[in-house]
Amino acid sequence: MIVTTAQLFKHAYGKYAIGAYNINNAEQAMGLFKGAIDSQAPFIIQISKGARSYTDKRMLEAIIRAAGDIFPDAIFAVHLDHGDEATCYDCIDSGFFSSVMIDASHDPFEKNVEITKRVVERAHAKGISVEAELGMLGGVEEDIVVEEGHSCLTDPAEAEEFVKQTGCDSLACAIGTSHGAFKFKGKQSLHFDVLEKIKARMNGFPLVMHGSSSVPQDEVARINAAGGTIAGSMGVDVNEYLPAAKLGVTKINIDTDGRLVWTRVHREFFRDKPAEFDFRPPGKIFIVEYAKFIASRNVLLGSAGQLADLRASLTK
Ligand code: G3H
Ligand code: 13P
Ligand code: ZN
């Protein structure tokens, strides 16, 4: 069942976080739905602009529709990740997305407000939720590269003002994470002080944490042992997911970790079977391994085991 992120957040706020996982193909979709059902967790499917154009935007929508039929008990939102204004409108008009993210965080405050307000108006007219972003993460967001040291944490007073002015349904805050596999150089920790200040001003308002992959070091070691050269990577401490959720982080975005699962499975498979050229055997292993990964993350986020209670709350 497709629901809005607002419906998911209402159930989760302050208790647990919903995992928001990026997908690009059928194998990821199968693994994601399987892992969610195995762990009895609601989830958010995120589709980036790059994912939409990887094959054809209609292909990914059809895959998700099919996965929803194969796993009829799944409760999930379909969300545009890091949208620009035009892509937001395209997704709103598609009739398939239940929420969109407008990311104008690279623009000055006033322009970010202006753009976000326009998207909120168009989305709310169709019952679609809107995530916006304030502050700047380090790393790469779609086509935008933020140099290290140039990312800036979200200002709590500005966040309160931004939400008031735009009417957005959730806010992505910069609290020290960045996209990709190389998040921290020194101390590996989220800025809980910023989260506490935001919560003090906006209690009950759902926050979003981008760049939340944990970059498991055993996964990286296996990739490197099978020919990879990923050096010096570091991710978010998984033990910080739940404390962040208690402070209002209701959506936790994970993409890179799934890519690492894919890379490990395929590198090890072809290293061990150099004469193989059928892509289905490693694809099948990937689906199982990705499902296991998703279920393990849902346990850490506290979303595992929430499906029955959420379903009951939705039908009240
Ligand atoms: O935040 C970006 C996501 O990880 C999506 O990445 O734009 O390469 O699909 P992508
Ligand atoms: P990671 O690169 O940490 O997986 O972050 C993903 C993300 O924020 C997608 O919007
Ligand atoms: Zn992101």
Side-chain angles (χ1 to χ4, degrees), residues 14 62 218 269 303 313:
D218 54 334
F269 182 86
S303 63
S313 80

Side-chain angles (χ1 to χ4, degrees), residues 32-50:
L32 172 53
F33 277 78
K34 183 177 164 13
I37 290 302
D38 288 349
S39 56
Q40 289 293 290
F43 60 103
I44 297 168
I45 302 182
Q46 308 210 106
I47 306 178
S48 71
K49 201 173 159 186

Side-chain angles (χ1 to χ4, degrees), residues 14-243:
K15 291 181 286 181
Y16 66 94
I18 312 274
Y21 303 101
N22 291 68
I23 71 159
N24 296 268
N25 63 20
E27 291 83 352
Q28 280 183 304
M30 282 302 284
L32 172 53
F33 277 78
K34 183 177 164 13
I37 290 302
D38 288 349
S39 56
Q40 289 293 290
F43 60 103
I44 297 168
I45 302 182
Q46 308 210 106
I47 306 178
S48 71
K49 201 173 159 186
R52 291 183 93 217
S53 61
Y54 171 49
T55 51
D56 183 290
K57 62 185 184 187
R58 291 165 297 185
M59 184 69 84
L60 213 42
E61 291 184 15
I63 287 171
I64 294 168
R65 262 186 242 279
D69 289 345
I70 298 164
F71 297 91
D73 290 339
I75 300 180
F76 58 100
V78 181
H79 175 79
L80 167 68
D81 190 26
H82 293 288
D84 53 32
E85 197 173 355
T87 310
C88 282
Y89 296 151
D90 195 40
C91 291
I92 291 166
D93 294 340
S94 80
F96 185 61
F97 285 73
S98 57
S99 74
V100 294
M101 174 189 189
I102 173 67
D103 182 359
S105 58
H106 42 276
D107 283 317
F109 183 87
E110 290 74 21
K111 192 155 180 225
N112 190 352
V113 167
E114 216 176 278
I115 297 170
T116 302
K117 251 171 102 168
R118 283 200 294 266
V119 172
V120 167
E121 231 164 77
R122 284 270 289 264
H124 283 184
K126 293 199 170 177
I128 293 169
S129 320
V130 178
E131 173 185 329
E133 180 169 331
L134 189 66
M136 250 206 241
L137 277 72
V140 183
E141 286 184 8
E142 287 285 355
D143 311 328
I144 302 149
V145 181
V146 181
E147 303 272 334
E148 209 185 335
H150 287 258
S151 58
C152 58
L153 302 182
T154 303
D155 177 272
E158 272 193 2
E160 188 182 15
E161 195 49 41
F162 183 86
V163 169
K164 236 184 243 161
Q165 289 191 29
T166 60
C168 65
D169 303 282
S170 59
L171 186 68
C173 298
I175 52 168
T177 64
S178 60
H179 291 104
F182 307 91
K183 300 189 192 299
F184 304 98
K185 279 235 170 85
K187 193 171 150 359
Q188 181 187 27
S189 183
L190 306 178
H191 283 265
F192 284 104
D193 52 332
V194 176
L195 275 181
E196 275 161 11
K197 285 184 190 137
I198 296 175
K199 188 170 193 290
R201 288 173 173 272
M202 304 157 64
N203 192 23
F205 189 82
L207 307 175
V208 178
M209 186 163 84
H210 282 248
S212 310
S213 279
S214 66
V215 192
Q217 291 304 297
D218 54 334
E219 197 76 287
V220 172
R222 285 175 72 174
I223 290 169
N224 289 344
T229 55
I230 303 171
S233 56
M234 201 194 274
V236 172
D237 179 349
V238 291
N239 297 311
E240 294 191 336
Y241 289 160
L242 260 184

Side-chain angles (χ1 to χ4, degrees), residues 232-271:
S233 56
M234 201 194 274
V236 172
D237 179 349
V238 291
N239 297 311
E240 294 191 336
Y241 289 160
L242 260 184
K246 309 269 175 204
L247 288 171
V249 174
T250 320
K251 173 172 177 274
I252 290 197
N253 287 12
I254 298 176
D255 183 9
T256 296
D257 283 350
R259 297 180 187 204
L260 293 174
V261 175
W262 189 96
T263 306
R264 182 252 301 168
V265 165
H266 289 82
R267 278 200 179 278
E268 287 186 346
F269 182 86
F270 288 109
R271 174 196 63 192

